Amino acid sequence: MDSKDYEKAGRIAAETRRYALTLVKPGLYYLELAEKVEAKIFSLGGRPAFPCNVSVNDIAAHHIPSADEKFVLKEGDLLKIDLGVHINGAIADHAVSVSVGKNSENEKLIDAANAAVAAAIAIAKPGAKVSALGEAIEKEITSRGFVPIKNLCGHTIEPYVLHAGLSIPNHKINSNTVLKEGMVLAIEPFATTGAGFVNEGAESGVYKLEEPGAVRTGKEILDFIISEYKTLPFAKRWLAKKFNSLKVNLFLKEALAKGILHSYSELIELKGSKVAQAEHTIIIKEKTEVLTK
Ligand code: CO
């Protein structure tokens, strides 16, 4: 592990988050926000580790604007921007929530998510139990009258692998698993007025390589994915900028049917509920380092 690469990825993620927040206002197209975030990451010398998520209100995660969508931010929306940066495969995963215009319910939910991530980071040391992190997160959220989303978790990060083996729960669980020195962790609590459980919605237009294999159409697209994104998620919107879009569609259909690619779906809470998310990437040390602050 090259900690310099992780540190650089973290700095770029934090700078991109500060930039993204300056753009947020009613009337902003989700697509414009995502494209500006992704362009900013490149301009700062990083690469997007995954397409920028622009998830609003009851959509907890994985809404990725498509090339032709027309959604715009509205006054009173609770927006989550989840962005990733990598430097040579060293990933910083970072999310922030913001109310579009003043809204006290949104602000309370956002406070709960922010307090939860801070509480977990405060105890994330070598030897700490992952169950203790989950408990700390749950306590911050429930003490404010909200619910943590239990089927979304933080995760360890490894080079070019966004979700490596270990999950960091957002509620108290029974587990003796402990954190180890040098682990790279993304901690990402979600606080909601909903059920505390997300279901899969529409396909998000985001994929990742599952298992390389032979395709009849678009071998050059698959080669590009392997060399450019490796095992990181990518957007159909990105491919459509490089290749003929009809061919991209045929390729995606075949590659999904053959299990060459994995497709991500939106993750949705109860209709009409709100969800706030906070996320930082940290390196576990005696004095734990927050990469994305
Ligand atoms: Co994450």
Side-chain angles (χ1 to χ4, degrees):
M1 181 181 91
D2 187 339
S3 60
K4 289 268 173 302
D5 285 347
Y6 278 102
E7 284 161 8
K8 184 173 177 191
R11 278 196 303 275
I12 293 172
E15 188 166 344
T16 303
R17 174 248 304 161
R18 287 189 285 272
Y19 163 74
L21 290 175
T22 68
L23 303 173
V24 171
K25 58 169 193 227
L28 177 68
Y29 284 90
Y30 296 10
L31 177 63
E32 183 181 346
L33 176 58
E35 295 216 303
K36 284 186 166 167
V37 161
E38 291 160 5
K40 182 74 172 178
I41 292 168
F42 279 109
S43 79
L44 294 171
R47 295 288 193 97
F50 53 84
C52 178
N53 291 221
V54 179
S55 306
V56 171
N57 297 336
D58 54 7
I59 300 182
H62 294 181
H63 181 84
I64 317 299
S66 62
D68 57 358
E69 76 160 49
K70 297 283 183 272
F71 294 127
V72 296
L73 294 176
K74 294 190 201 65
E75 186 84 27
D77 281 345
L78 199 170
L79 166 67
K80 280 93 44 197
I81 303 169
D82 193 342
L83 60 95
V85 177
H86 83 90
I87 303 288
N88 302 316
I91 301 163
D93 187 356
H94 185 31
V96 65
S97 295
V98 59
S99 179
V100 182
K102 271 202 81 62
N103 178 298
S104 64
E105 185 189 54
N106 289 352
E107 283 147 18
K108 283 179 197 153
L109 263 174
I110 294 166
D111 282 351
N114 290 341
V117 78
I121 290 169
I123 58 171
K125 304 252 179 306
K129 286 188 176 179
V130 299
S131 61
L133 273 65
E135 189 174 359
I137 287 169
E138 181 169 25
K139 192 169 148 244
E140 292 296 334
I141 294 172
T142 56
S143 70
R144 288 169 173 79
F146 302 117
V147 182
I149 297 182
K150 297 188 179 67
N151 63 335
L152 293 175
C153 294
H155 46 96
T156 44
I157 286 173
E158 285 171 14
Y160 290 105
V161 182
L162 184 57
H163 287 233
L166 182 65
S167 290
I168 309 302
N170 287 327
H171 66 114
K172 191 180 180 213
I173 58 162
N174 252 327
S175 160
N176 289 317
T177 305
V178 294
L179 302 180
K180 294 193 180 75
E181 172 105 30
M183 274 182 167
V184 183
L185 290 188
I187 300 184
E188 51 178 323
F190 291 79
T192 183
T193 57
F197 192 87
V198 288
N199 288 299
E200 291 203 340
E203 285 188 18
S204 59
V206 172
Y207 310 91
K208 83 171 169 67
L209 185 65
E210 191 78 34
E211 182 74 61
V215 286
R216 266 176 290 114
T217 310
K219 184 181 180 305
E220 69 280 19
I221 303 176
L222 182 57
D223 290 343
F224 178 80
I225 289 166
I226 292 168
S227 75
E228 200 70 12
Y229 309 127
K230 299 189 168 58
T231 43
L232 292 173
F234 57 89
K236 177 178 171 182
R237 168 166 53 81
W238 295 354
L239 295 179
K241 286 183 180 167
K242 288 260 172 202
F243 302 97
N244 172 288
S245 62
L246 188 66
K247 204 168 193 183
V248 168
N249 285 338
L250 288 169
F251 162 75
L252 288 174
K253 200 170 165 202
E254 186 186 352
L256 285 168
K258 287 182 170 164
I260 293 168
L261 296 181
H262 167 79
S263 167
Y264 292 87
S265 297
E266 290 183 343
L267 299 169
I268 309 179
E269 253 289 352
L270 283 185
K271 196 172 164 55
S273 70
K274 293 252 175 104
V275 179
Q277 173 197 18
E279 181 174 26
H280 281 292
T281 298
I282 65 178
I283 301 182
I284 299 300
K285 299 176 182 175
E286 273 315 319
K287 198 173 177 322
T288 284
E289 191 179 355
V290 181
L291 297 172
T292 47
K293 68 175 177 239

